[in-house]
Amino acid sequence: MRIVVLAGGIGGARFLRGLKKAAPDADITVIGNTGDDIHLFGLKVCPDLDTVMYTLGGGINEEQGWGRTDETFKVKEELAAYGVGPEWFGLGDRDFATHIVRTQMLGAGYPLSAVTQALCERWQPGVRLIPMSDDRVETHVAVTLDGEQKAVHFQEYWVRLRASVDAHAIVPVGAEQAKPAPGVLEAIAEADVVLFPPSNPVVSVGTILAVPGIREAIADAGVPVVGLSPIVGDAPVRGMADKVLAAVGVETTAAAVAEHYGSGLLDGWLVDSVDAGVVERVESAGIRCRAIPLMMTDVDAAAEMARAALALASEVRA
Amino acid sequence: MRIVVLAGGIGGARFLRGLKKAAPDADITVIGNTGDDIHLFGLKVCPDLDTVMYTLGGGINEEQGWGRTDETFKVKEELAAYGVGPEWFGLGDRDFATHIVRTQMLGAGYPLSAVTQALCERWQPGVRLIPMSDDRVETHVAVTLDGEQKAVHFQEYWVRLRASVDAHAIVPVGAEQAKPAPGVLEAIAEADVVLFPPSNPVVSVGTILAVPGIREAIADAGVPVVGLSPIVGDAPVRGMADKVLAAVGVETTAAAVAEHYGSGLLDGWLVDSVDAGVVERVESAGIRCRAIPLMMTDVDAAAEMARAALALASEVRA
């Protein structure tokens, strides 16, 4: 079975770990969000790709869900001693090596997809990880700060400001001109099922879908497309998705997110058991819906969610 | 008193620490060798400048004489895990931060001299540290390896090969086209004395003198030029200077090094007490010479050497 997964960071990575356990023989291609990539200290940092790579490769800091395990912060401390920031972005020493290798390879002319493949040769994530695009796409968030309208990088909004101010708009800068990375459209065309993990529907899955050609390829693939709600009981399971959902005019409910994806794209939707009441509403929008426990408390729980997603896909297919 | 010092790495840095103690009110300008600079992992590394900066700024690893104190090597370990080398060059985590800041500033368009000044704002070395040139000069060493003639970067010769093979030639690539960095010629013109610390006469002081204009400025300054022998008892005090001296046809003796600089450049020369026998030979070459203890066992010993160098300068002047 060939599975394509559109993944953001922590939610996507943890779901993928469950999926690998649920479908150990599947051929899994992960299309990773690069809209939250950022240049820091002259280095190219790809938080979502790295979170997937570290999580599946056994190098993740389990507790925080991002960054490396057994991490130290000497480089960052020293940069701060030089007065070089930002200090709000937590790059550890082990993590720095990844960004140094990536930056050096990009500088030598390799596209990000080839660089990601090279990094994965070390981590052996057990999936094929492809960035959504080799072109630069950078998610910016329009906010009002100190009475002034301005656009900040997504990481600045998310990490520095902790989404404490309203987002007026979310703009994936460069997306319109971006091309899907080599292998992305081919993987979708050959997929037996496409999954949207419980990742952020706006700044993770939404950004991937904003690359021209990807949404169309998924809609046209003629295979089940099944998603899992990142909203449980009208609140994001993790992160501050309510802020970015509000920016695109979507209420923070499991049903509203399904409708946001729409029946033209989505065939099946899993909501949490606490949201069983919305199943009827989602199905009336033309999307098959089931309610199951959606908290990824451990790998087994994530595997159970993956099994339910694949079962719903089979149901849709039949 | 305005003192100009041409400095390489460890020997230069330790001498400078002594000089600061011996002449606390002096205005010291250090012209640093950049011929052993190297690009590693996409980062610009300036070993000699950093050794001076760290030593005078209190950040040096005292035992080894280079690199940072309280250092860890996580980044390097991780780079090796990615298969990215070279592994023979020991960049620590704290040290990495310096190279990251430098590379980022160079990438932003600042010349190396401005970058060095910015880095020194943190370290407050108590001297004005200027790279010999803002242009790229890279010392290459011609060697025979596995029966083949080839040129290797100085660091590869020095650190990887540990000077275990003969050097046929030492070539400061780019030196002929290089211009002295802003402030270098001005500092020499305004100096009351110019000192050559017990640094390597070929690949440290020699490389600085190879930048067109610097040797001439020193010779024409009309002030005492006094050097200290890095050779004691016919052997280098530190490092493998004998190998690079042989490459330029100079024997490994305190007298031969003085003659290599020549009386057209050098007015005074300090040799170690064990080499007192060569004083007459050096003086007969037109260079005033004194024998004193030249082992920099601690800061006081280095300060004593600096006092002797300044005393010899006064003697020459008078």
Side-chain angles (χ1 to χ4, degrees):
Chain A
M1 181 165 50
R2 285 160 301 189
I3 307 174
V4 164
V5 181
L6 271 52
I10 303 176
R14 290 188 171 166
F15 175 76
L16 281 163
R17 199 156 52 176
L19 180 63
K20 277 175 64 186
K21 184 160 188 181
D25 299 325
D27 173 352
I28 303 171
T29 297
V30 179
I31 300 171
N33 171 41
T34 58
D36 61 350
D37 291 3
I38 185 166
H39 287 81
L40 292 170
F41 316 112
L43 301 173
K44 169 85 162 180
V45 180
C46 301
D48 280 4
L49 295 180
D50 289 351
T51 295
V52 169
M53 191 171 75
Y54 294 161
T55 301
L56 300 186
I60 199 78
N61 179 321
E62 286 291 343
E63 210 161 314
Q64 67 189 13
W66 54 269
R68 293 289 312 279
T69 187
D70 188 24
E71 189 56 293
T72 52
F73 292 86
K74 295 287 171 64
V75 177
K76 185 182 153 101
E77 282 167 35
E78 292 292 326
L79 288 168
Y82 280 115
V84 172
E87 297 200 31
W88 50 265
F89 204 88
L91 289 186
D93 298 331
R94 294 187 186 279
D95 201 22
F96 256 109
T98 301
H99 313 314
I100 289 171
V101 174
R102 174 184 293 124
T103 304
Q104 197 175 6
M105 287 192 72
L106 289 170
Y110 292 97
L112 183 62
S113 51
V115 174
T116 304
Q117 196 181 341
L119 295 172
C120 283
E121 270 170 36
R122 169 182 176 194
W123 291 102
Q124 297 289 324
V127 301
R128 185 169 169 223
L129 176 61
I130 317 179
M132 64 189 202
S133 178
D134 281 334
D135 301 319
R136 182 167 174 174
V137 178
E138 206 170 88
T139 303
H140 287 196
V141 182
V143 292
T144 305
L145 280 181
D146 304 325
E148 251 183 286
Q149 282 261 13
K150 56 167 72 180
V152 297
H153 188 288
F154 171 70
Q155 296 295 355
E156 193 172 350
Y157 182 70
W158 209 246
V159 181
R160 185 169 81 84
L161 299 172
R162 297 185 178 280
S164 58
V165 297
D166 288 342
H168 306 315
I170 313 289
V171 184
V173 178
E176 277 178 38
Q177 291 77 40
K179 288 180 300 296
V184 166
L185 297 183
E186 294 79 353
I188 294 169
E190 293 166 4
D192 297 308
V193 57
V194 176
L195 300 179
F196 297 173
S199 288
N200 190 303
V202 181
V203 295
S204 293
V205 179
T207 308
I208 301 171
L209 293 171
V211 176
I214 295 185
R215 174 188 287 272
E216 297 73 6
I218 294 172
D220 296 349
V223 298
V225 179
V226 172
L228 298 93
S229 176
I231 307 297
V232 168
D234 301 346
V237 173
R238 160 180 287 277
M240 302 142 289
D242 47 328
K243 289 299 183 113
V244 292
L245 280 167
V248 296
V250 175
E251 62 180 11
T252 307
T253 67
V257 172
E259 290 161 2
H260 172 63
Y261 283 132
S263 63
L265 187 68
L266 205 61
D267 302 304
W269 188 241
L270 292 176
V271 300
D272 189 79
S273 311
V274 303
D275 295 313
V278 307
V279 169
E280 205 172 333
R281 169 177 161 191
V282 174
E283 295 221 318
S284 74
I287 299 165
R288 202 168 289 228
C289 186
R290 296 288 174 270
I292 63 158
L294 284 190
M295 302 305 268
M296 293 191 281
T297 44
D298 56 25
V299 179
D300 286 330
E304 210 43 65
M305 288 163 56
R307 273 183 213 105
L310 294 175
L312 186 53
S314 297
E315 207 180 307
V316 165
R317 195 181 288 113
Chain B
M1 181 165 51
R2 285 160 301 189
I3 306 175
V4 165
V5 181
L6 272 50
I10 303 177
R14 289 187 172 168
F15 175 77
L16 281 163
R17 198 157 51 176
L19 179 63
K20 277 176 62 185
K21 183 159 191 179
D25 300 325
D27 173 352
I28 303 171
T29 296
V30 178
I31 301 171
N33 171 40
T34 58
D36 60 351
D37 290 3
I38 185 166
H39 286 81
L40 292 170
F41 317 111
L43 301 172
K44 170 86 161 179
V45 179
C46 300
D48 280 4
L49 295 180
D50 289 349
T51 295
V52 169
M53 190 170 76
Y54 293 160
T55 301
L56 300 186
I60 200 78
N61 178 322
E62 286 291 344
E63 210 161 312
Q64 65 189 14
W66 53 270
R68 293 290 310 280
T69 187
D70 188 24
E71 188 58 292
T72 51
F73 292 86
K74 294 287 173 63
V75 178
K76 185 182 152 99
E77 283 167 34
E78 292 291 328
L79 289 168
Y82 280 116
V84 172
E87 297 200 30
W88 49 264
F89 204 89
L91 290 187
D93 299 329
R94 293 188 187 279
D95 201 21
F96 256 108
T98 301
H99 313 314
I100 288 171
V101 175
R102 175 185 292 123
T103 304
Q104 196 174 6
M105 287 191 72
L106 289 170
Y110 292 96
L112 183 61
S113 52
V115 174
T116 304
Q117 196 181 341
L119 294 173
C120 284
E121 270 169 38
R122 169 182 176 193
W123 290 103
Q124 297 290 325
V127 302
R128 183 167 170 226
L129 176 62
I130 317 179
M132 64 190 200
S133 178
D134 281 333
D135 302 319
R136 183 169 172 172
V137 178
E138 204 169 272
T139 303
H140 287 196
V141 182
V143 293
T144 304
L145 279 182
D146 304 325
E148 251 184 287
Q149 283 260 14
K150 57 167 72 178
V152 297
H153 189 286
F154 171 70
Q155 295 295 354
E156 193 174 349
Y157 182 71
W158 208 247
V159 181
R160 185 170 82 83
L161 298 172
R162 298 185 176 282
S164 57
V165 296
D166 288 343
H168 306 314
I170 313 289
V171 184
V173 179
E176 277 178 38
Q177 292 77 40
K179 290 180 298 295
V184 166
L185 298 183
E186 295 78 354
I188 294 169
E190 292 167 7
D192 297 307
V193 56
V194 177
L195 300 179
F196 297 173
S199 288
N200 190 303
V202 181
V203 293
S204 294
V205 179
T207 307
I208 301 170
L209 293 171
V211 176
I214 295 185
R215 174 188 289 272
E216 298 73 5
I218 294 172
D220 296 349
V223 297
V225 179
V226 172
L228 298 93
S229 177
I231 308 295
V232 168
D234 301 346
V237 172
R238 161 179 286 277
M240 302 143 290
D242 46 330
K243 290 298 183 115
V244 292
L245 281 167
V248 297
V250 175
E251 60 179 13
T252 307
T253 66
V257 172
E259 289 160 3
H260 171 64
Y261 284 132
S263 62
L265 187 68
L266 204 61
D267 302 303
W269 189 239
L270 292 176
V271 300
D272 189 79
S273 310
V274 303
D275 295 312
V278 307
V279 168
E280 205 172 329
R281 171 177 158 189
V282 173
E283 297 222 315
S284 74
I287 299 164
R288 202 169 288 230
C289 186
R290 295 289 174 270
I292 63 156
L294 283 191
M295 302 305 268
M296 293 191 282
T297 43
D298 56 24
V299 179
D300 286 331
E304 211 42 65
M305 287 163 57
R307 274 183 211 103
L310 294 175
L312 186 53
S314 295
E315 207 179 307
V316 167
R317 195 180 289 110

